């Protein structure tokens, strides 16, 4: 352990030197990021878990032999077998297919309506929406200061003091369960946190010379906020966003479990657990076990990855 | 300090006000219909309209909010010209009556075209007689009367040729009459005067169900808290003493894993392992009307689930705080003085390292509440979270508001408490 540690430190030191000498572009930078990742075992495991699910989601139609909705009335509530590698649920649907297509909804596509699916998973869109709202509020609040800051921050404080679960419950239960409403809920819940982070970063960045220069040039407010300040705050925001994807998947699972996620019969991990739970007593633990494991592994993977990245990037500084 | 507390208290009140308005608006703007949720999908439009009117849901939004906030009895008193009183009967029902002459209480009922008055004397006997003298002639040949009916509404009864109403009379069925109730005001004292209103779902006063649920939740959370704290603080300190050591990395990664896995997944794993495969404990906590402590075996799994989730969280905070303290100069001094290791840890480090976790945990009470809600749903535990979920699914606005207000009060209240506690634990902090 000691040995690997010292070598990884050496690596970082050499990277650090190179970073100071020549600012890297493109490939070199990518290699650096990978080096950071693989120097931490936890982050590597996290990356593997996340990549696993991303590939499963991407390749879902090619690695499953059933459609997620296909029912086999002759084999409901079966354990793992050759025909169904993870078993079947109470309607005889293949759990592996449902997991793979469920991963798709989380990470790759978002169902707007029955016909219309847009790229970018539901969790991803939730985080993007939260980032957009939070960053806008945080930038204005931090850059403008004064009464705008006071009002925005007090309102966000009030929002933050409301139990998160309550927000989810009320928003989704009231708006109705659909992917769009889940995104709205995730965005509303995530906004205050993002806003706070961006505001604190903005407070620091707005004193820099390049912001002064932009002001003197007479740039518009929007230009200064989004072209000068935001790009310079992106490091911490990206790591925060990665954690937030974890929270969003967590939230999606929780909502699905409470019956507030995607409407059935779409393969939603949370609702698969909720449904499978009812059949534990009659002797089929698999229908609730696999989706629980899936969501746990994906969330843990994302957190390991984000943690590893944060630790390594902090060591850089 | 006093100023700080007053300011925070003001913010708490403001938050609750804003949240209550927001909840009203969200529930209002959402699709779906409480009448259909309660009475079933096959109700006729007339039944739906009648239900909505009797619950006061046909009133404009701001009026309903106002009634919810400060009560509707004042308005009702002005309408009918009597003084109203809420009493609690021997069997525990809340009833609204009109204060009549010489201390008797009155309510009315319309049967066909005849108005009957119920007079309650000495809180025991109830006398029923015809009371058609109350009718007031209105302009278009009809007669009207504002009174209190037997279901805690202020009601406007109208009788006359122009208005035909179908009424349901018990024992007779639907009969057509020329008179009937035209407008309802459900009577309540309002949130500010401690009345949460009647649950639209169950028809019972919200507070009767709510406080039992709240007690159950507090029992669950309390036991979990007592179990988890010593463990988590101890493990967190062990991890923090040697930052970067094997036990530190093991504990913090394990803690992180436990704290980020969704509560329902942890719950399912525990149910499968402990109840399904090992058959050690029951996998659900269903105790109906019984109090949780009467079936302690059913508490084991919910408490264990909460413990695992909170453990990771508290452990990580304690670890970070401990690691920071261990790097500080006075700890190095203590070691250099030649003090024994454990003395330094417990005398010098622990004292300062535990300030942060204790307060941060309180700040995160709303996060922990989420865990409790899910754990309650997983195990069927009759707590506040389940109540709130059911109410939200039914659009039972009174119950949602009551549950929300209690949760916000708890969350913000503990945050305030944590801030105050922090100033005592860490005298360097002064709020101004």
């Amino acid at each position: 352990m000691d040995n690997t540690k010292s070598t990884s430190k050496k690596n970082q030191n050499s990277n650090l030197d190179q970073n100071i000498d020549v600012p890297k572009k493109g490939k070199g930078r990518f290699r650096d990021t990978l080096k950071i990742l693989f120097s931490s075992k936890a982050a590597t495991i996290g990356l593997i878990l996340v990549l696993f699910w991303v590939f499963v989601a991407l390749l879902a139609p090619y690695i499953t032999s059933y459609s997620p909705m296909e029912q086999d009335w002759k084999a409901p509530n079966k354990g793992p077998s050759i025909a169904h590698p993870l078993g079947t649920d109470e309607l005889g649907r293949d759990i592996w297919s449902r997991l793979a297509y469920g991963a798709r909804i989380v990470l790759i596509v978002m169902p707007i309506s029955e016909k219309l699916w847009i790229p970018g998973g539901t969790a991803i869109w939730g985080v993007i929406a939260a980032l957009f709202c939070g960053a806008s509020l945080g930038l204005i609040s931090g850059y403008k200061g004064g009464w705008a800051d006071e009002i925005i921050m007090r309102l966000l404080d009030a929002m933050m003091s409301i139990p998160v679960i309550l927000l989810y419950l009320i928003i989704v239960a009231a708006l109705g369960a659909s992917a769009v409403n889940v995104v709205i809920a995730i965005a509303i819940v995530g906004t205050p946190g993002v806003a706070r982070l961006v505001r604190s970063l903005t407070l620091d960045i707005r004193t820099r010379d390049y912001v002064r220069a932009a002001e003197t040039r007479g740039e518009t407010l929007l230009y200064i906020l989004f072209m000068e300040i935001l790009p310079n705050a992106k490091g911490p925001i990206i790591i925060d966003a990665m954690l937030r994807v974890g929270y969003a998947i967590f939230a999606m699972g929780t909502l699905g479990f409470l019956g507030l996620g995607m409407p059935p019969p779409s393969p939603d991990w949370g609702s698969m657990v909720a449904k499978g739970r009812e059949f534990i007593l009659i002797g089929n633990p698999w229908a609730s076990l696999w989706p629980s494991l899936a969501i746990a592994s994906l969330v843990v993977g994302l957190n390991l990855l984000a943690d590893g990245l944060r630790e390594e990037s902090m060591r850089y500084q | 300090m006093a100023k700080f507390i007053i300011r925070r208290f003001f913010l708490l009140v403001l938050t609750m006000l804003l949240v209550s308005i927001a909840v009203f608006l969200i529930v209002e703007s959402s699709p779906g219909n409480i009448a259909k949720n309660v009475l079933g999908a096959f109700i006729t439009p007339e039944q739906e309209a009648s239900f909505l009117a009797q619950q006061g849901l046909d009133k404009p939004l701001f009026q309903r909010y106002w009634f919810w906030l400060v009560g509707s009895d004042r308005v009702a008193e002005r309408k009918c010209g009597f003084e109203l009183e809420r009493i609690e009967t021997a069997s525990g029902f809340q009833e609204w009556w009109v204060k009549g002459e010489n201390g008797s209480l009155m309510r009315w009922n319309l049967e066909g075209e005849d108005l009957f008055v119920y007079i309650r004397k000495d809180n025991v006997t109830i006398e029923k007689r015809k009371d058609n003298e109350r009718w007031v002639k209105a302009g278009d040949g009809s007669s009207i009367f504002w009174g209190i009916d037997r279901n805690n509404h202020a009601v406007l009864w109208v009788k006359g040729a122009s208005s035909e109403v179908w009424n349901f009379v018990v024992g007779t069925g639907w009969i057509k009459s020329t008179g009937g109730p035209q407008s309802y005001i459900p009577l309540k004292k309002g949130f500010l005067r401690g009345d949460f209103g009647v649950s639209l779902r169950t028809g019972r006063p919200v507070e009767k169900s709510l406080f039992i649920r709240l007690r159950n939740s507090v029992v669950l959370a309390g036991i979990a808290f007592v179990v988890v704290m010593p463990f988590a603080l101890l493990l967190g300190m062990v991890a923090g003493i040697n930052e970067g050591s094997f036990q530190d990395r093991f504990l913090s990664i394990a803690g992180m894993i436990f704290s980020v896995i969704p509560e329902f997944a942890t719950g399912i794993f525990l149910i499968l392992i402990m109840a399904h495969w090992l058959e050690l404990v029951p996998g659900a906590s269903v105790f109906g009307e019984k109090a949780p402590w009467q079936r302690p075996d059913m508490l084991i799994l919910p408490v264990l689930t909460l413990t695992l989730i909170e453990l990771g969280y508290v452990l990580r905070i304690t670890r970070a705080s401990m690691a920071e303290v261990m790097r500080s100069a006075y700890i190095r001094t203590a070691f250099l003085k030649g003090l024994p290791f454990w003395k330094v840890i417990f005398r010098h480090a622990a004292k300062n390292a535990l300030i942060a976790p204790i307060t941060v945990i309180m700040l995160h009470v709303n996060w922990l509440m989420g865990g409790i809600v899910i754990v309650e749903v997983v195990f069927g535990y009759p707590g506040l979270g389940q109540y709130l979920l059911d109410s939200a699914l039914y659009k039972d606005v009174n119950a949602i508001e009551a549950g929300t207000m209690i949760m916000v009060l708890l969350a913000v209240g503990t945050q305030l408490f944590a801030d105050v506690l922090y100033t005592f634990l860490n005298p360097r902090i002064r709020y101004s």
Side-chain angles (χ1 to χ4, degrees), chain A residues 160-163 166 169 174 250 253-254 277 285 299 304 307, chain B residues 19 26 30 256 260 272 316 366 374 377-378 388-389 404:
Chain A
M160 271 185 128
S161 64
I162 306 169
L166 201 65
L169 270 187
F250 188 114
T254 302
R277 184 180 62 124
V299 174
L304 285 174
D307 257 27
Chain B
V19 171
I26 293 174
S30 59
M256 190 270 282
V260 300
L272 289 179
R316 295 184 95 198
N366 57 8
I374 307 299
V377 176
V378 172
L388 210 61
L389 176 66
T404 312

PDB file of all heavy atoms in Angstrom, chain A residues 160-163 166 169 174 250 253-254 277 285 299 304 307, chain B residues 19 26 30 256 260 272 316 366 374 377-378 388-389 404:
ATOM      1  N   MET A 160     -34.451  25.314   1.614  1.00  0.00           N
ATOM      2  CA  MET A 160     -33.547  24.272   2.115  1.00  0.00           C
ATOM      3  C   MET A 160     -33.999  23.731   3.463  1.00  0.00           C
ATOM      4  O   MET A 160     -33.648  22.618   3.836  1.00  0.00           O
ATOM      5  CB  MET A 160     -32.138  24.825   2.256  1.00  0.00           C
ATOM      6  CG  MET A 160     -31.340  24.682   0.996  1.00  0.00           C
ATOM      7  SD  MET A 160     -29.666  25.216   1.300  1.00  0.00           S
ATOM      8  CE  MET A 160     -28.737  23.834   0.712  1.00  0.00           C
ATOM      9  N   SER A 161     -34.746  24.555   4.200  1.00  0.00           N
ATOM     10  CA  SER A 161     -35.145  24.093   5.527  1.00  0.00           C
ATOM     11  C   SER A 161     -36.341  23.142   5.441  1.00  0.00           C
ATOM     12  O   SER A 161     -36.685  22.512   6.421  1.00  0.00           O
ATOM     13  CB  SER A 161     -35.482  25.278   6.414  1.00  0.00           C
ATOM     14  OG  SER A 161     -36.596  25.948   5.904  1.00  0.00           O
ATOM     15  N   ILE A 162     -36.954  23.049   4.273  1.00  0.00           N
ATOM     16  CA  ILE A 162     -38.062  22.105   4.124  1.00  0.00           C
ATOM     17  C   ILE A 162     -37.479  20.719   3.899  1.00  0.00           C
ATOM     18  O   ILE A 162     -36.594  20.557   3.074  1.00  0.00           O
ATOM     19  CB  ILE A 162     -38.941  22.469   2.926  1.00  0.00           C
ATOM     20  CG1 ILE A 162     -39.391  23.912   3.035  1.00  0.00           C
ATOM     21  CG2 ILE A 162     -40.132  21.554   2.838  1.00  0.00           C
ATOM     22  CD1 ILE A 162     -40.040  24.412   1.783  1.00  0.00           C
ATOM     23  N   PRO A 163     -37.967  19.724   4.627  1.00  0.00           N
ATOM     24  CA  PRO A 163     -37.448  18.376   4.405  1.00  0.00           C
ATOM     25  C   PRO A 163     -37.569  17.979   2.946  1.00  0.00           C
ATOM     26  O   PRO A 163     -38.613  18.162   2.315  1.00  0.00           O
ATOM     27  CB  PRO A 163     -38.351  17.520   5.283  1.00  0.00           C
ATOM     28  CG  PRO A 163     -38.816  18.433   6.349  1.00  0.00           C
ATOM     29  CD  PRO A 163     -38.907  19.789   5.730  1.00  0.00           C
ATOM     30  N   LEU A 166     -40.351  15.818   1.717  1.00  0.00           N
ATOM     31  CA  LEU A 166     -41.639  16.499   1.669  1.00  0.00           C
ATOM     32  C   LEU A 166     -41.815  17.204   0.334  1.00  0.00           C
ATOM     33  O   LEU A 166     -42.873  17.138  -0.293  1.00  0.00           O
ATOM     34  CB  LEU A 166     -41.668  17.515   2.803  1.00  0.00           C
ATOM     35  CG  LEU A 166     -43.004  17.993   3.257  1.00  0.00           C
ATOM     36  CD1 LEU A 166     -43.750  16.840   3.846  1.00  0.00           C
ATOM     37  CD2 LEU A 166     -42.831  19.065   4.295  1.00  0.00           C
ATOM     38  N   LEU A 169     -42.488  14.567  -2.252  1.00  0.00           N
ATOM     39  CA  LEU A 169     -43.834  14.023  -2.091  1.00  0.00           C
ATOM     40  C   LEU A 169     -44.870  14.973  -2.643  1.00  0.00           C
ATOM     41  O   LEU A 169     -45.715  14.599  -3.458  1.00  0.00           O
ATOM     42  CB  LEU A 169     -44.128  13.821  -0.600  1.00  0.00           C
ATOM     43  CG  LEU A 169     -43.782  12.503   0.006  1.00  0.00           C
ATOM     44  CD1 LEU A 169     -44.305  12.435   1.413  1.00  0.00           C
ATOM     45  CD2 LEU A 169     -44.413  11.423  -0.819  1.00  0.00           C
ATOM     46  N   ALA A 174     -48.627  15.772  -6.270  1.00  0.00           N
ATOM     47  CA  ALA A 174     -49.606  16.745  -6.736  1.00  0.00           C
ATOM     48  C   ALA A 174     -49.583  16.866  -8.253  1.00  0.00           C
ATOM     49  O   ALA A 174     -50.621  16.932  -8.893  1.00  0.00           O
ATOM     50  CB  ALA A 174     -49.333  18.090  -6.089  1.00  0.00           C
ATOM     51  N   PHE A 250     -30.838   8.442  -6.824  1.00  0.00           N
ATOM     52  CA  PHE A 250     -31.394   8.129  -5.503  1.00  0.00           C
ATOM     53  C   PHE A 250     -32.847   8.598  -5.438  1.00  0.00           C
ATOM     54  O   PHE A 250     -33.756   7.851  -5.066  1.00  0.00           O
ATOM     55  CB  PHE A 250     -30.534   8.890  -4.485  1.00  0.00           C
ATOM     56  CG  PHE A 250     -30.784   8.574  -3.044  1.00  0.00           C
ATOM     57  CD1 PHE A 250     -29.815   7.951  -2.297  1.00  0.00           C
ATOM     58  CD2 PHE A 250     -31.950   8.960  -2.420  1.00  0.00           C
ATOM     59  CE1 PHE A 250     -30.012   7.695  -0.952  1.00  0.00           C
ATOM     60  CE2 PHE A 250     -32.159   8.706  -1.083  1.00  0.00           C
ATOM     61  CZ  PHE A 250     -31.177   8.070  -0.349  1.00  0.00           C
ATOM     62  N   GLY A 253     -35.198   6.652  -7.679  1.00  0.00           N
ATOM     63  CA  GLY A 253     -35.503   5.354  -7.089  1.00  0.00           C
ATOM     64  C   GLY A 253     -36.518   5.499  -5.976  1.00  0.00           C
ATOM     65  O   GLY A 253     -37.499   4.751  -5.899  1.00  0.00           O
ATOM     66  N   THR A 254     -36.279   6.487  -5.114  1.00  0.00           N
ATOM     67  CA  THR A 254     -37.174   6.687  -3.978  1.00  0.00           C
ATOM     68  C   THR A 254     -38.582   7.014  -4.449  1.00  0.00           C
ATOM     69  O   THR A 254     -39.564   6.458  -3.957  1.00  0.00           O
ATOM     70  CB  THR A 254     -36.634   7.826  -3.103  1.00  0.00           C
ATOM     71  OG1 THR A 254     -35.323   7.487  -2.694  1.00  0.00           O
ATOM     72  CG2 THR A 254     -37.505   8.041  -1.906  1.00  0.00           C
ATOM     73  N   ARG A 277     -41.308  -6.288  -3.662  1.00  0.00           N
ATOM     74  CA  ARG A 277     -41.393  -6.420  -2.209  1.00  0.00           C
ATOM     75  C   ARG A 277     -42.628  -7.210  -1.797  1.00  0.00           C
ATOM     76  O   ARG A 277     -42.619  -7.971  -0.838  1.00  0.00           O
ATOM     77  CB  ARG A 277     -41.436  -5.019  -1.615  1.00  0.00           C
ATOM     78  CG  ARG A 277     -41.428  -4.933  -0.150  1.00  0.00           C
ATOM     79  CD  ARG A 277     -41.465  -3.483   0.253  1.00  0.00           C
ATOM     80  NE  ARG A 277     -42.687  -2.850  -0.211  1.00  0.00           N
ATOM     81  CZ  ARG A 277     -43.538  -2.229   0.593  1.00  0.00           C
ATOM     82  NH1 ARG A 277     -43.299  -2.165   1.880  1.00  0.00           N
ATOM     83  NH2 ARG A 277     -44.623  -1.666   0.125  1.00  0.00           N
ATOM     84  N   PRO A 285     -37.664 -13.654  -3.644  1.00  0.00           N
ATOM     85  CA  PRO A 285     -36.892 -12.477  -3.239  1.00  0.00           C
ATOM     86  C   PRO A 285     -36.233 -11.774  -4.407  1.00  0.00           C
ATOM     87  O   PRO A 285     -35.843 -10.618  -4.286  1.00  0.00           O
ATOM     88  CB  PRO A 285     -35.847 -13.066  -2.290  1.00  0.00           C
ATOM     89  CG  PRO A 285     -35.685 -14.472  -2.741  1.00  0.00           C
ATOM     90  CD  PRO A 285     -37.023 -14.905  -3.262  1.00  0.00           C
ATOM     91  N   VAL A 299     -25.473   4.100  -7.639  1.00  0.00           N
ATOM     92  CA  VAL A 299     -25.293   5.272  -6.777  1.00  0.00           C
ATOM     93  C   VAL A 299     -23.941   5.209  -6.070  1.00  0.00           C
ATOM     94  O   VAL A 299     -23.218   6.204  -6.003  1.00  0.00           O
ATOM     95  CB  VAL A 299     -26.447   5.356  -5.752  1.00  0.00           C
ATOM     96  CG1 VAL A 299     -26.202   6.472  -4.774  1.00  0.00           C
ATOM     97  CG2 VAL A 299     -27.754   5.589  -6.458  1.00  0.00           C
ATOM     98  N   LEU A 304     -18.354   6.955  -5.362  1.00  0.00           N
ATOM     99  CA  LEU A 304     -16.935   6.606  -5.283  1.00  0.00           C
ATOM    100  C   LEU A 304     -16.144   7.424  -6.296  1.00  0.00           C
ATOM    101  O   LEU A 304     -15.086   7.977  -5.993  1.00  0.00           O
ATOM    102  CB  LEU A 304     -16.738   5.116  -5.562  1.00  0.00           C
ATOM    103  CG  LEU A 304     -17.120   4.143  -4.454  1.00  0.00           C
ATOM    104  CD1 LEU A 304     -16.998   2.725  -4.953  1.00  0.00           C
ATOM    105  CD2 LEU A 304     -16.240   4.352  -3.238  1.00  0.00           C
ATOM    106  N   ASP A 307     -16.055  11.120  -5.243  1.00  0.00           N
ATOM    107  CA  ASP A 307     -15.174  11.262  -4.076  1.00  0.00           C
ATOM    108  C   ASP A 307     -13.715  11.187  -4.481  1.00  0.00           C
ATOM    109  O   ASP A 307     -12.891  11.996  -4.065  1.00  0.00           O
ATOM    110  CB  ASP A 307     -15.483  10.154  -3.065  1.00  0.00           C
ATOM    111  CG  ASP A 307     -16.300  10.677  -1.919  1.00  0.00           C
ATOM    112  OD1 ASP A 307     -17.033  11.662  -2.154  1.00  0.00           O
ATOM    113  OD2 ASP A 307     -16.196  10.118  -0.817  1.00  0.00           O
TER     114      ASP A 307
ATOM    115  N   VAL B  19     -44.465  28.147   2.947  1.00  0.00           N
ATOM    116  CA  VAL B  19     -44.657  26.733   2.603  1.00  0.00           C
ATOM    117  C   VAL B  19     -46.132  26.392   2.569  1.00  0.00           C
ATOM    118  O   VAL B  19     -46.603  25.692   1.668  1.00  0.00           O
ATOM    119  CB  VAL B  19     -43.904  25.841   3.604  1.00  0.00           C
ATOM    120  CG1 VAL B  19     -44.262  24.391   3.390  1.00  0.00           C
ATOM    121  CG2 VAL B  19     -42.421  26.025   3.460  1.00  0.00           C
ATOM    122  N   ILE B  26     -49.907  24.182  -4.891  1.00  0.00           N
ATOM    123  CA  ILE B  26     -49.523  22.981  -5.632  1.00  0.00           C
ATOM    124  C   ILE B  26     -50.673  21.981  -5.639  1.00  0.00           C
ATOM    125  O   ILE B  26     -51.038  21.433  -6.681  1.00  0.00           O
ATOM    126  CB  ILE B  26     -48.258  22.345  -5.028  1.00  0.00           C
ATOM    127  CG1 ILE B  26     -47.064  23.253  -5.238  1.00  0.00           C
ATOM    128  CG2 ILE B  26     -47.993  21.006  -5.672  1.00  0.00           C
ATOM    129  CD1 ILE B  26     -45.826  22.768  -4.565  1.00  0.00           C
ATOM    130  N   SER B  30     -52.897  20.848  -9.123  1.00  0.00           N
ATOM    131  CA  SER B  30     -52.602  19.522  -9.636  1.00  0.00           C
ATOM    132  C   SER B  30     -53.852  18.893 -10.238  1.00  0.00           C
ATOM    133  O   SER B  30     -54.969  19.201  -9.837  1.00  0.00           O
ATOM    134  CB  SER B  30     -52.090  18.656  -8.491  1.00  0.00           C
ATOM    135  OG  SER B  30     -53.072  18.608  -7.490  1.00  0.00           O
ATOM    136  N   MET B 256     -19.520   5.692   3.633  1.00  0.00           N
ATOM    137  CA  MET B 256     -20.079   6.365   2.460  1.00  0.00           C
ATOM    138  C   MET B 256     -21.051   5.448   1.734  1.00  0.00           C
ATOM    139  O   MET B 256     -22.152   5.856   1.370  1.00  0.00           O
ATOM    140  CB  MET B 256     -18.926   6.778   1.540  1.00  0.00           C
ATOM    141  CG  MET B 256     -19.317   7.687   0.420  1.00  0.00           C
ATOM    142  SD  MET B 256     -19.789   6.780  -1.005  1.00  0.00           S
ATOM    143  CE  MET B 256     -18.197   6.327  -1.631  1.00  0.00           C
ATOM    144  N   VAL B 260     -25.064   6.352   1.076  1.00  0.00           N
ATOM    145  CA  VAL B 260     -25.587   6.755  -0.226  1.00  0.00           C
ATOM    146  C   VAL B 260     -26.554   5.735  -0.838  1.00  0.00           C
ATOM    147  O   VAL B 260     -27.279   6.065  -1.756  1.00  0.00           O
ATOM    148  CB  VAL B 260     -24.485   7.055  -1.271  1.00  0.00           C
ATOM    149  CG1 VAL B 260     -23.600   8.172  -0.787  1.00  0.00           C
ATOM    150  CG2 VAL B 260     -23.692   5.819  -1.592  1.00  0.00           C
ATOM    151  N   LEU B 272     -34.490  -9.189   3.306  1.00  0.00           N
ATOM    152  CA  LEU B 272     -34.160 -10.463   2.663  1.00  0.00           C
ATOM    153  C   LEU B 272     -33.206 -11.268   3.530  1.00  0.00           C
ATOM    154  O   LEU B 272     -33.397 -12.465   3.732  1.00  0.00           O
ATOM    155  CB  LEU B 272     -33.538 -10.210   1.280  1.00  0.00           C
ATOM    156  CG  LEU B 272     -34.514  -9.702   0.228  1.00  0.00           C
ATOM    157  CD1 LEU B 272     -33.802  -9.459  -1.079  1.00  0.00           C
ATOM    158  CD2 LEU B 272     -35.638 -10.716   0.025  1.00  0.00           C
ATOM    159  N   ARG B 316     -18.757  10.013   8.886  1.00  0.00           N
ATOM    160  CA  ARG B 316     -17.924  10.822   7.986  1.00  0.00           C
ATOM    161  C   ARG B 316     -17.691  12.218   8.550  1.00  0.00           C
ATOM    162  O   ARG B 316     -16.595  12.760   8.455  1.00  0.00           O
ATOM    163  CB  ARG B 316     -18.586  10.924   6.609  1.00  0.00           C
ATOM    164  CG  ARG B 316     -18.671   9.610   5.917  1.00  0.00           C
ATOM    165  CD  ARG B 316     -19.238   9.783   4.549  1.00  0.00           C
ATOM    166  NE  ARG B 316     -18.188   9.910   3.560  1.00  0.00           N
ATOM    167  CZ  ARG B 316     -18.371  10.401   2.348  1.00  0.00           C
ATOM    168  NH1 ARG B 316     -19.544  10.859   2.004  1.00  0.00           N
ATOM    169  NH2 ARG B 316     -17.392  10.452   1.491  1.00  0.00           N
ATOM    170  N   ASN B 366     -33.619  17.385   8.452  1.00  0.00           N
ATOM    171  CA  ASN B 366     -34.607  17.223   7.377  1.00  0.00           C
ATOM    172  C   ASN B 366     -34.176  16.151   6.384  1.00  0.00           C
ATOM    173  O   ASN B 366     -35.007  15.510   5.760  1.00  0.00           O
ATOM    174  CB  ASN B 366     -34.924  18.546   6.675  1.00  0.00           C
ATOM    175  CG  ASN B 366     -33.714  19.202   6.097  1.00  0.00           C
ATOM    176  OD1 ASN B 366     -32.641  18.606   6.081  1.00  0.00           O
ATOM    177  ND2 ASN B 366     -33.860  20.419   5.643  1.00  0.00           N
ATOM    178  N   ILE B 374     -39.122   6.912   4.228  1.00  0.00           N
ATOM    179  CA  ILE B 374     -38.968   5.729   3.374  1.00  0.00           C
ATOM    180  C   ILE B 374     -38.980   4.461   4.209  1.00  0.00           C
ATOM    181  O   ILE B 374     -39.626   3.470   3.859  1.00  0.00           O
ATOM    182  CB  ILE B 374     -37.658   5.799   2.570  1.00  0.00           C
ATOM    183  CG1 ILE B 374     -37.565   7.101   1.811  1.00  0.00           C
ATOM    184  CG2 ILE B 374     -37.563   4.637   1.610  1.00  0.00           C
ATOM    185  CD1 ILE B 374     -38.639   7.312   0.827  1.00  0.00           C
ATOM    186  N   VAL B 377     -42.351   3.451   5.021  1.00  0.00           N
ATOM    187  CA  VAL B 377     -43.085   2.843   3.910  1.00  0.00           C
ATOM    188  C   VAL B 377     -42.590   1.417   3.666  1.00  0.00           C
ATOM    189  O   VAL B 377     -43.385   0.502   3.451  1.00  0.00           O
ATOM    190  CB  VAL B 377     -42.948   3.690   2.633  1.00  0.00           C
ATOM    191  CG1 VAL B 377     -43.615   3.014   1.466  1.00  0.00           C
ATOM    192  CG2 VAL B 377     -43.573   5.056   2.859  1.00  0.00           C
ATOM    193  N   VAL B 378     -41.259   1.222   3.743  1.00  0.00           N
ATOM    194  CA  VAL B 378     -40.714  -0.110   3.483  1.00  0.00           C
ATOM    195  C   VAL B 378     -41.289  -1.131   4.456  1.00  0.00           C
ATOM    196  O   VAL B 378     -41.673  -2.231   4.065  1.00  0.00           O
ATOM    197  CB  VAL B 378     -39.173  -0.102   3.589  1.00  0.00           C
ATOM    198  CG1 VAL B 378     -38.635  -1.515   3.516  1.00  0.00           C
ATOM    199  CG2 VAL B 378     -38.564   0.738   2.498  1.00  0.00           C
ATOM    200  N   LEU B 388     -48.418  11.040   5.568  1.00  0.00           N
ATOM    201  CA  LEU B 388     -48.230  12.132   4.622  1.00  0.00           C
ATOM    202  C   LEU B 388     -48.312  11.626   3.187  1.00  0.00           C
ATOM    203  O   LEU B 388     -48.916  12.271   2.325  1.00  0.00           O
ATOM    204  CB  LEU B 388     -46.867  12.770   4.884  1.00  0.00           C
ATOM    205  CG  LEU B 388     -46.757  14.228   4.557  1.00  0.00           C
ATOM    206  CD1 LEU B 388     -47.719  15.020   5.393  1.00  0.00           C
ATOM    207  CD2 LEU B 388     -45.353  14.693   4.825  1.00  0.00           C
ATOM    208  N   LEU B 389     -47.700  10.463   2.945  1.00  0.00           N
ATOM    209  CA  LEU B 389     -47.730   9.895   1.594  1.00  0.00           C
ATOM    210  C   LEU B 389     -49.165   9.597   1.171  1.00  0.00           C
ATOM    211  O   LEU B 389     -49.608   9.975   0.089  1.00  0.00           O
ATOM    212  CB  LEU B 389     -46.882   8.623   1.546  1.00  0.00           C
ATOM    213  CG  LEU B 389     -46.893   7.874   0.225  1.00  0.00           C
ATOM    214  CD1 LEU B 389     -46.247   8.709  -0.853  1.00  0.00           C
ATOM    215  CD2 LEU B 389     -46.203   6.548   0.338  1.00  0.00           C
ATOM    216  N   THR B 404     -47.133  18.769   6.782  1.00  0.00           N
ATOM    217  CA  THR B 404     -46.062  19.629   6.297  1.00  0.00           C
ATOM    218  C   THR B 404     -45.628  20.617   7.375  1.00  0.00           C
ATOM    219  O   THR B 404     -44.438  20.796   7.629  1.00  0.00           O
ATOM    220  CB  THR B 404     -46.532  20.422   5.068  1.00  0.00           C
ATOM    221  OG1 THR B 404     -47.141  19.537   4.167  1.00  0.00           O
ATOM    222  CG2 THR B 404     -45.390  21.114   4.408  1.00  0.00           C
TER     223      THR B 404
END
